[in-house]
Amino acid sequence: MIAAEILALIPGCADGRQPLAVKPLPGGRGCNRVSRVDTDAGRFVLRQRHPPLDRPGSAAQTELRSQMVAAAAGLAPRVINAALDGSWLLMDFIDAPLWTEQQLLAGGVERLGERLAGRVLLGHAPFGRVDHALGRAGEVALELLEVGQHLLV
């Protein structure tokens, strides 16, 4: 179920309109509920964090900043809206095949990290401090891959 205050922020769901469909997506690693939300305005991914927001090695605000840095670098779907505390985020749905474990092990995560680091060093990151984003590039990539997003590496 999507809370009314979040639903109202999804394009196509203003004024109490309901989505055309809400479908669970694989992934989330037990920390997040990930759903595809289809509306008249498009298809979106809603990632809602299960309490507690922060866990050892997994801080909600750090993950949100990492997602935004990756999106700004052209490596992840655009973040449309998000809670400031990182409890949920809404992004564009990209219809593409999931990466396989073999593709990831063959250097996909490393190439993503290198590309993200290059973009950040060139000044394309939206934040003054990106040390957390760089350290989490591989983990963010895995999270995005779990929800079926195609990353351009």
Side-chain angles (χ1 to χ4, degrees):
M1 172 140 189
I2 301 172
E5 59 271 12
I6 297 172
L7 191 61
L9 299 172
I10 298 173
C13 290
D15 303 321
R17 288 178 288 175
Q18 294 298 307
L20 301 173
V22 177
K23 300 175 183 177
L25 293 173
R29 300 179 323 183
C31 300
N32 304 295
R33 179 176 51 202
V34 184
S35 305
R36 188 177 96 190
V37 181
D38 298 349
T39 73
D40 288 330
R43 295 188 299 175
F44 310 97
V45 172
L46 176 63
R47 190 179 104 190
Q48 298 173 283
R49 194 149 175 101
H50 298 300
L53 288 182
D54 296 323
R55 297 170 174 81
S58 180
Q61 288 180 324
T62 300
E63 289 185 8
L64 175 58
R65 285 192 306 268
S66 298
Q67 172 70 29
M68 293 178 76
V69 168
L75 301 171
R78 170 180 69 117
V79 175
I80 298 166
N81 208 332
L84 292 177
D85 65 0
S87 60
W88 63 269
L89 70 96
L90 181 70
M91 57 193 139
D92 289 318
F93 175 81
I94 308 298
D95 193 9
L98 292 170
W99 280 15
T100 66
E101 185 175 348
Q102 291 79 16
Q103 288 171 312
L104 289 173
L105 294 175
V109 172
E110 289 83 5
R111 286 194 312 275
L112 172 67
E114 290 168 5
R115 186 166 173 195
L116 178 58
R119 290 292 194 113
V120 169
L121 292 175
L122 291 173
H124 296 284
F127 302 102
R129 286 187 52 124
V130 294
D131 51 332
H132 294 293
L134 291 174
R136 298 232 330 114
E139 191 168 336
V140 169
L142 290 173
E143 289 175 16
L144 295 172
L145 295 171
E146 286 177 347
V147 296
Q149 306 305 312
H150 179 70
L151 301 176
L152 304 173
V153 286

